[in-house]
Amino acid sequence: PDAGPGPAWQSKCPWGAPSTTSISCSLADVMSEQLAKELQLEEENAAFPEVVAAAEGPFITGENIDTSSDLMLAQMLQMEFDREYDAQLRREEKKINGDSKVSISFENYRKVHPYDSDSSEDEVDWQDTRHDPYRADKPTTTPRRGFIGKGKDITTKHDEVVCGRKNTARMENFAPEFQVGDGIGMDLKLSNQVFNALKQHAYSEERRSARLHEKKEHSTAEKAVDPKTRLLLYKMVNSGMLETITGCISTGKESVVFHAYGGKSATEDKVIPPECAIKVFKTTLNEFKNRDKYIKDDYRFKDRFSKLNPRKIIRMWAEKEMHNLTRMQNAGIPCPQVVILKKHVLVMSFIGQDQVPAPKLKDVTLSNEDMKKAYYQILNMMQQLYRECNLVHADLSEYNMLWHDGKVWLIDVSQSVEPTHPHGLEFLFRDCRNVSQFFQKGGVAEALNERELFNAVSGLNITADNEVDFQAEIEALEKMNEDHVQNHGKKLSTFSSDGDPPIYDE
């Protein structure tokens, strides 16, 4: 830096005095309207060179215009303002559109009067105007007397056009959820048949929506529970019986199963397993309406069964599974251990380890030795279930048998009935068919067919050459037992058997 009288940093200070001096301007030049107008015209010409400013109309410069009236002066001033406003809109259109193929129009915002408009009717689309071609130009109204006109031109309230327009207007009274589209704003004419069909559909949709909302509030969903069930689960966790509920492990048509870690019991004699399975029976009634045959003829629940209150049936299903599991547990059959029952929520021991449920028999691949071992174990369990527990599973298949710790476990016994049930032997024969077919396909050569397996489990010596005669004898035995119950009033079996059934062992 050049040496000076002061330090070098003073010459570079941003707050220092500017090196150049500005040209002073008088106040008269700043306040001059003519100068401001010239500057504005220069900016407009630079921005829009092709657009010509609004021409001075003959409203102010005309010699024959009478300016003595204040109203005429106001109209001329308003017209001049509208011209300037429209010119500004044209400049905005030019600036925004440019060379684009898609252009916009400010036609609806222009204030020029119709007789002074520069735009032709051909250039204006009907969508840019306020005229709606779908709306009736002169809507006809029916007077109180019910008709208009005279003679041949009379129009009554039953006229097709009048009724059609009334029906269109009545669609506004439909429920808000019912979408009527843009039909109300159009000159539509709905016939009475179409309007009645739409009205009935709107009412049925409203009722269906209300039913779905009620079902959502008072029933369990696929992997969720209703507020009442959540309250029951919360009470179990809050009381310390369950430590935590981890999540859903299985879903079905009748129930949802959750996994939970066990806590501490309030009583010392009851031990809660470390891992529990919570079976929540769905409170939707569609599935249980078709399965009442499993419970209405069971003498344990026959007096309590009522179709008038189907929600109680669901609690009876949970109670029935608890009683059946208790019988099986006392007989030593591998099955879940019952912990507690609260309404339609059944807490059992968890068959599995570390939140991983034991696989179903249909999903596990067993060796020949394990498959043979599983077959004889199931055969022995079916005999124990029939003799000691006095039960028939009624839904026994590879879907309701788990493979855990090298043995088979039975689950889902809510539909199990006693052999004296009017259809008990039929259910047993169906179980025998499912078990026999599964193990025969699995390569167990020692697997009996369904008729031999039925005789081995029940001890009944039914000799029939074919399956039709075999089932006919089963139905005859059930009919005999039903007649005996009606005559003597006791649920005792009249099946004749040749002693205890043989026990098959490996």
Side-chain angles (χ1 to χ4, degrees):
D2 299 335
W9 58 269
Q10 290 184 358
S11 61
K12 297 182 179 180
C13 180
W15 291 278
S19 58
T20 58
T21 58
S22 58
I23 302 174
S24 60
C25 183
S26 63
L27 181 62
D29 295 339
V30 174
M31 298 298 294
S32 174
E33 294 183 2
Q34 184 178 1
L35 177 61
K37 188 174 182 179
E38 292 177 358
L39 293 176
Q40 182 179 0
L41 289 177
E42 290 180 1
E43 292 180 359
E44 291 179 357
N45 293 333
F48 312 103
E50 299 179 1
V51 180
V52 184
E56 296 288 340
F59 300 99
I60 297 179
T61 58
E63 299 178 357
N64 300 325
I65 300 299
D66 184 14
T67 58
S68 60
S69 174
D70 295 339
L71 177 61
M72 182 61 65
L73 288 175
Q75 290 179 350
M76 288 191 296
L77 292 174
Q78 183 64 42
M79 183 62 67
E80 182 66 20
F81 175 79
D82 291 345
R83 282 177 172 273
E84 294 178 358
Y85 181 79
D86 294 342
Q88 179 66 23
L89 286 182
R90 294 191 190 96
R91 289 193 291 269
E92 292 291 337
E93 288 181 7
K94 182 66 176 178
K95 179 180 179 182
I96 295 176
N97 293 333
D99 298 334
S100 177
K101 295 182 179 179
V102 180
S103 60
I104 64 172
S105 174
F106 291 157
E107 187 70 25
N108 292 339
Y109 298 96
R110 296 184 181 177
K111 295 184 178 181
V112 122
H113 295 273
Y115 55 82
D116 191 62
S117 177
D118 296 335
S119 60
S120 61
E121 295 182 357
D122 297 337
E123 297 177 356
V124 182
D125 191 23
W126 64 267
Q127 293 180 354
D128 296 332
T129 64
R130 296 183 180 180
H131 174 66
D132 190 353
Y134 291 106
R135 188 179 297 274
D137 295 334
K138 295 181 179 180
T140 59
T141 57
T142 305
R144 294 182 179 179
R145 57 187 179 180
F147 66 93
I148 55 175
K150 294 181 181 180
K152 296 181 180 180
D153 299 332
I154 188 171
T155 302
T156 65
K157 62 180 180 180
H158 304 289
D159 183 68
E160 182 179 0
V161 178
V162 175
C163 290
R165 287 173 177 165
K166 283 185 177 180
N167 292 336
T168 305
R170 287 172 185 166
M171 288 197 303
E172 293 182 350
N173 300 327
F174 289 166
E177 295 83 7
F178 189 78
Q179 303 293 336
V180 296
D182 298 333
I184 299 177
M186 301 181 182
D187 187 21
L188 296 181
K189 306 173 188 64
L190 295 181
S191 63
N192 292 334
Q193 181 180 3
V194 175
F195 174 75
N196 292 333
L198 288 175
K199 182 174 69 173
Q200 185 64 30
H201 179 67
Y203 289 162
S204 43
E205 284 293 318
E206 187 177 4
R207 291 194 299 268
R208 187 182 69 88
S209 177
R211 287 196 302 268
L212 290 178
H213 180 72
E214 181 182 4
K215 183 182 295 184
K216 182 179 179 181
E217 291 293 329
H218 301 287
S219 64
T220 55
E222 283 296 327
K223 294 185 180 181
V225 291
D226 59 324
K228 293 182 179 180
T229 307
R230 281 199 298 268
L231 182 59
L232 291 175
L233 298 179
Y234 172 76
K235 288 182 178 180
M236 293 180 184
V237 176
N238 195 31
S239 63
M241 186 182 64
L242 297 177
E243 182 180 349
T244 180
I245 300 175
T246 57
C248 179
I249 58 176
S250 176
T251 59
K253 294 183 294 185
E254 302 173 0
S255 61
V256 183
V257 182
F258 296 91
H259 175 271
Y261 286 105
K264 296 181 181 180
S265 175
T267 58
E268 297 180 357
D269 56 344
K270 193 171 187 62
V271 179
I272 299 179
E275 290 187 90
C276 298
I278 306 174
K279 188 172 185 179
V280 180
F281 286 84
K282 292 184 178 181
T283 54
T284 49
L285 307 177
N286 297 332
E287 184 63 27
F288 290 94
K289 288 180 180 179
N290 302 325
R291 298 175 66 87
D292 56 355
K293 61 182 179 180
Y294 292 96
I295 196 171
K296 70 177 182 180
D297 294 324
D298 196 327
Y299 77 97
R300 298 175 292 176
F301 305 94
K302 189 173 184 179
D303 297 335
R304 298 164 51 191
F305 180 80
S306 174
K307 282 190 174 181
L308 299 179
N309 192 356
R311 294 191 179 274
K312 289 185 178 180
I313 302 178
I314 302 169
R315 298 185 183 180
M316 293 169 62
W317 271 91
E319 184 180 347
K320 187 178 180 183
E321 179 156 6
M322 181 194 68
H323 290 311
N324 293 340
L325 286 175
T326 304
R327 285 192 186 185
M328 295 169 60
Q329 184 179 352
N330 295 334
I333 299 176
C335 65
Q337 177 186 357
V338 178
V339 177
I340 194 174
L341 173 66
K342 290 291 186 180
K343 295 183 179 180
H344 59 284
V345 178
L346 180 62
V347 182
M348 306 170 292
S349 61
F350 180 70
I351 309 301
Q353 189 176 4
D354 297 335
Q355 303 185 26
V356 180
K360 298 178 182 179
L361 206 58
K362 73 176 185 69
D363 297 328
V364 66
T365 302
L366 301 178
S367 62
N368 295 333
E369 292 297 329
D370 288 339
M371 185 68 74
K372 185 178 178 180
K373 178 182 176 182
Y375 172 73
Y376 282 106
Q377 184 184 354
I378 292 173
L379 181 56
N380 189 21
M381 285 192 298
M382 293 178 68
Q383 292 176 344
Q384 284 183 287
L385 198 65
Y386 187 88
R387 289 186 302 152
E388 301 178 19
C389 302
N390 196 26
L391 288 175
V392 175
H393 192 283
D395 193 20
L396 188 62
S397 65
E398 61 273 15
Y399 292 87
N400 291 331
M401 294 183 287
L402 304 181
W403 181 259
H404 181 61
D405 289 341
K407 59 182 178 180
V408 180
W409 298 68
L410 295 183
I411 59 173
D412 291 343
V413 293
S414 58
Q415 73 287 331
S416 298
V417 297
E418 295 193 349
T420 53
H421 189 275
H423 303 284
L425 296 182
E426 296 179 22
F427 297 154
L428 178 60
F429 184 74
R430 186 176 61 186
D431 293 346
C432 295
R433 181 192 293 124
N434 295 335
V435 173
S436 177
Q437 291 179 356
F438 174 74
F439 284 99
Q440 285 179 356
K441 292 180 180 178
V444 179
E446 296 84 356
L448 304 175
N449 58 35
E450 55 267 22
R451 286 174 286 175
E452 295 173 349
L453 185 58
F454 179 87
N455 290 330
V457 172
S458 63
L460 301 174
N461 189 13
I462 300 179
T463 57
D465 297 335
N466 51 46
E467 184 177 342
V468 177
D469 296 339
F470 196 90
Q471 291 184 349
E473 293 189 25
I474 291 177
E475 294 177 0
L477 288 175
E478 291 176 341
K479 186 67 170 61
M480 290 171 54
N481 185 72
E482 187 66 24
D483 295 340
H484 177 79
V485 170
Q486 292 179 0
N487 295 332
H488 297 81
K490 295 181 180 180
K491 207 71 176 177
L492 298 176
S493 174
T494 59
F495 305 146
S496 60
S497 59
D498 299 336
D500 294 333
I503 298 178
Y504 287 82
D505 196 358
E506 186 177 357

